Amino acid sequence: MEFGSTILDYFRDESAEATEFRRLHSKMLNLHGGQEFKNVLITSATISEGKSTAAALLACTVARYRDTKTIIVDCDLRRPRVHTLFGLPKDDGVADVLSGKRSLDACFKPSPIDNLQVLTSGGVIDNPTELFNSPRMKDLFSEIKFYFDAVIVDTPPIIPVTDSLILSTEMDGAIMVLKAGETKKQIVNRAVELMRNSGLNILGVIVNNMKGVLPYYYDHRYYGYDYTPGSTEEKFF
Ligand SMILES: Nc1ncnc2c1ncn2[C@@H]1O[C@H](COP(=O)(O)OP(=O)(O)O)[C@@H](O)[C@H]1O
Ligand SMILES: [Mg+2]
């Protein structure tokens, strides 16, 4: 994906990404007994594994194919990217609501996809951890869930900052993005351990085959999805 592209460049009906995410979405439903997940965190062990891209594509897919009120929320206050993917200004978002500068309903931004709204990260702040760990974060999500049927949350990676784990009680679970062939097994296992310890349900793992390192018998070009009730280890390494 080229720098500066927006998610719409990739979310066209005939695009490989849109097709993969449609497949991924139905696979998720099948693996979870047809049960639709409503509120999910997208995370990864480390940076640059493709979380924000996957979160945006998943949000577009859910909004389009479920035909339900959906929002993508950028909770990566350190390296926000959702606004860029949707070609929106970053300001008036999560940080502004948490710091009491804006009301939530004044911050929802429309996206080019029907049924999908965006809550960007908001203005620059110097205390993301403090904001994240304040009880207002949980309140914010209770309120978001009141307005939307499906909530997709882009978060910082687990290993450097465990901030996003505070949301575990507000979410149905997390989907972990894993950059195929690159993320070290010990790091992934540590991230999984941290998620489990905080009671965050791992709904599945998206294997992002950015550089085509997976062998051909993985019959997908970019993404794979799997449910990992046990260890991630036996499946991905
Ligand atoms: N499947 C993919 N194929 C090619 N490039 C990708 C893919 N997924 C992500 N990228 C690129 O990798 C970089 C990091 O992706 P991003 O979604 O911002 O990761 P993260 O949120 O985990 O830091 C971006 O430049 C993005 O365009
Ligand atoms: Mg990101």
Side-chain angles (χ1 to χ4, degrees), residues 1 47-53 79 81 208 210 222-223:
M1 295 194 181
I47 59 163
S48 285
E49 300 207 55
K51 278 183 299 303
S52 301
T53 313
R79 296 176 75 246
R81 212 170 101 80
N208 192 359
M210 287 189 198
Y222 299 99
Y223 295 99

Side-chain angles (χ1 to χ4, degrees), residues 1-3 5 10 17 43-44 46-55 57 76 79 81 85 154-155 157 177 179 208-211 221-223:
M1 295 194 181
E2 302 302 319
F3 181 76
S5 325
Y10 300 100
E17 284 84 358
T43 194
S44 68
T46 61
I47 59 163
S48 285
E49 300 207 55
K51 278 183 299 303
S52 301
T53 313
L57 286 166
D76 191 345
R79 296 176 75 246
R81 212 170 101 80
L85 286 166
D154 188 23
T155 66
V177 179
K179 190 169 176 180
N208 192 359
N209 190 18
M210 287 189 198
K211 292 187 182 147
R221 273 207 283 167
Y222 299 99
Y223 295 99

Side-chain angles (χ1 to χ4, degrees), residues 83-212:
H83 63 285
T84 316
L85 286 166
F86 285 92
L88 292 167
K90 182 161 71 71
D91 289 349
D92 295 341
V94 173
D96 307 280
V97 179
L98 289 177
S99 56
K101 286 188 200 145
R102 290 275 181 280
S103 70
L104 176 63
D105 54 359
C107 292
F108 299 138
K109 298 184 176 86
S111 84
I113 307 282
D114 282 350
N115 291 320
L116 180 63
Q117 304 232 23
V118 182
L119 183 61
T120 57
S121 66
V124 177
I125 38 146
D126 47 18
N127 57 341
T129 295
E130 212 176 291
L131 273 188
F132 232 103
N133 289 293
S134 81
R136 297 184 80 142
M137 191 60 152
K138 288 187 171 195
D139 295 345
L140 170 65
F141 274 88
S142 308
E143 208 182 335
I144 291 173
K145 288 192 290 186
F146 171 79
Y147 289 107
F148 294 90
D149 302 317
V151 184
I152 314 289
V153 188
D154 188 23
T155 66
I158 297 280
I159 296 293
V161 277
T162 52
D163 291 1
S164 48
L165 296 177
I166 194 175
L167 294 177
S168 45
T169 53
E170 296 304 314
M171 298 282 116
D172 298 332
I175 293 171
M176 199 172 171
V177 179
L178 213 153
K179 190 169 176 180
E182 215 152 299
T183 319
K184 298 271 180 298
K185 161 170 145 181
Q186 292 87 339
I187 295 179
V188 175
N189 286 343
R190 177 70 186 136
V192 169
E193 192 185 332
L194 287 167
M195 287 157 89
R196 293 224 168 100
N197 289 347
S198 73
L200 187 60
N201 187 15
I202 303 174
L203 297 170
V205 176
I206 291 177
V207 183
N208 192 359
N209 190 18
M210 287 189 198
K211 292 187 182 147

